[in-house]
């Protein structure tokens, strides 16, 4: 299992409404609306048209992201 590093960013993709996570290595992930979103994550590849809106870090618990 991939562990999260301290510098994790949470976003919402404006076009799809999906939660997007950028991990400490700079990889982007889409989190699906499941019971274990981090385990079910899929790679996300932003394009020039992608509009990501930053979301406060306290959402990490709501999204059930692994602890640091």
């Amino acid at each position: 299992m991939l562990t999260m590093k301290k510098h994790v960013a949470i976003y919402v993709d404006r076009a799809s409404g999906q939660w997007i996570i950028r991990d400490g290595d700079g990889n982007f992930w889409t989190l699906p609306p499941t019971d274990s979103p981090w385990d079910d994550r899929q790679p996300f590849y932003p394009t020039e048209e992608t509009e990501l809106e930053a979301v406060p870090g306290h959402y990490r618990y709501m999204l059930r992201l692994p602890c640091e």
Side-chain angles (χ1 to χ4, degrees):
M1 180 174 144
L2 179 69
T3 58
M4 304 277 287
K5 294 182 180 181
K6 289 189 178 197
H7 300 289
V8 172
I10 304 171
Y11 302 94
V12 169
D13 177 17
R14 287 183 174 256
S16 68
Q18 286 280 350
W19 293 105
I20 306 295
I21 304 299
R22 182 179 42 85
D23 66 21
D25 293 325
N27 300 309
F28 287 90
W29 304 93
T30 299
L31 298 183
T34 64
D35 289 337
S36 56
W38 183 249
D39 293 335
D40 299 332
R41 71 193 180 278
Q42 296 293 316
F44 178 78
Y45 303 100
T47 65
E48 289 185 24
E49 293 81 32
T50 302
E51 291 185 48
L52 297 179
E53 182 177 337
V55 175
H58 65 265
Y59 280 86
R60 127 184 260 111
Y61 300 104
M62 184 186 85
L63 297 171
R64 297 182 205 106
L65 298 177
C67 294
E68 301 173 327

